[in-house]
Amino acid sequence: DQQVKQNSPSLSVQEGRISILNCDYTNSMFDYFLWYKKYPAEGPTFLISISSIKDKNEDGRFTVFLNKSAKHLSLHIVPSQPGDSAVYFCAASYMEYGNKLVFGAGTILRVKS
Amino acid sequence: DAGVTQSPTHLIKTRGQQVTLRCSPKSGHDTVSWYQQALGQGPQFIFQYYEEEERQRGNFPDRFSGHQFPNYSSELNVNALLLGDSALYLCASSFGDELNEKLFFGSGTQLSVL
């Protein structure tokens, strides 16, 4: 039962352009969403989060959008840089879960220079 | 300030054996969670330890067990290894019920079961 889905295994973007990574979820109880970035041989590192009471959160080049009615969120990276090349995981949680996270399968982002 | 450290980094075992993985949390953290990341998948929650007790558990069989020591470090034990247990095992630490973005991951232990 995949509660969090990232349907695009990979994405290739030109340096300086926008990268858009998508994530869908099925459990309507989820109220907190996060994006993690993972480089090879390293653990995932927190990137940005959004609470279900918001529909947008921005941090520098990274913006996350949440559409609760569609159970969909997206991560926008503008402008994309070669150093952004990594695996991006979408994760979700809800209050009763504490800080137990449910992850998607990840999207490999390649930013070409 | 050392982050989350895990040992060993790589491990090869055969079916039926037992394995113990170790994790030291980030300084100041008292809660340790373990995740299994199979190839091509996202991390999957195994269990979480707080105050030396298992607080939450994911959908994993009893072959997976853990322990937390008074210094907050933790061990993950897997008995009767199966080929399907081959994965990257990630440890994550946090302080109590802090918000999820305060969850810090180690680099993981890559377990191969032959």
Side-chain angles (χ1 to χ4, degrees):
Chain A
D1 177 24
Q2 266 192 301
Q3 299 186 68
V4 178
K5 298 179 184 179
Q6 294 176 255
N7 292 319
S8 297
S10 64
L11 175 67
S12 185
V13 171
Q14 198 67 34
E15 180 180 6
R17 305 296 291 270
I18 184 171
S19 295
I20 300 177
L21 295 95
N22 294 304
C23 177
D24 297 294
Y25 62 96
T26 57
N27 190 337
S28 58
M29 293 187 67
F30 287 142
D31 57 11
Y32 201 76
F33 304 90
L34 306 91
W35 286 92
Y36 278 81
K37 180 167 73 172
K38 186 180 186 301
Y39 293 117
E42 295 184 12
T45 55
F46 169 75
L47 193 57
I48 192 169
S49 63
I50 187 167
S51 163
S52 60
I53 62 173
K54 296 184 175 181
D55 54 17
K56 176 182 175 181
N57 190 26
E58 194 170 355
D59 184 3
R61 297 186 296 114
F62 302 91
T63 303
V64 56
F65 297 91
L66 175 62
N67 182 333
K68 290 187 290 294
S69 60
K71 294 190 177 68
H72 177 84
L73 62 155
S74 61
L75 173 68
H76 292 209
I77 306 173
V78 184
S80 301
Q81 300 173 354
D84 296 330
S85 297
V87 180
Y88 289 78
F89 290 103
C90 170
S93 182
Y94 63 89
M95 187 175 296
E96 291 179 4
Y97 264 6
N99 51 14
K100 164 188 168 183
L101 299 176
V102 180
F103 283 87
T107 296
I108 301 170
L109 173 65
R110 295 188 185 89
V111 180
K112 299 175 290 187
S113 56
Chain B
D1 174 28
V4 179
T5 58
Q6 293 186 242
S7 64
T9 55
H10 295 83
L11 201 52
I12 299 175
K13 292 285 188 179
T14 56
R15 280 182 301 173
Q17 286 189 313
Q18 179 265 345
V19 68
T20 297
L21 311 181
R22 296 177 176 82
C23 172
S24 293
K26 180 178 169 63
S27 178
H29 286 183
D30 59 4
T31 302
V32 173
S33 302
W34 287 92
Y35 286 80
Q36 179 196 65
Q37 185 182 1
L39 190 64
Q41 302 296 319
Q44 188 174 358
F45 178 79
I46 303 175
F47 43 51
Q48 182 181 82
Y49 277 84
Y50 173 70
E51 291 188 340
E52 301 180 48
E53 291 191 357
E54 184 181 293
R55 185 162 67 173
Q56 290 195 74
R57 189 178 183 91
N59 188 25
F60 278 81
D62 292 343
R63 298 186 297 108
F64 289 78
S65 63
H67 188 77
Q68 186 179 35
F69 299 94
N71 68 351
Y72 308 120
S73 66
S74 176
E75 288 182 350
L76 163 65
N77 300 293
V78 187
N79 294 323
L81 284 167
L82 303 174
L83 295 179
D85 295 331
S86 296
L88 178 67
Y89 287 85
L90 294 163
C91 171
S93 73
S94 59
F95 178 72
D97 288 330
E98 275 194 342
L99 292 175
N100 292 310
E101 58 258 36
K102 299 297 185 183
L103 197 63
F104 287 81
F105 283 87
S107 298
T109 295
Q110 184 67 54
L111 172 65
S112 298
V113 182
L114 305 179

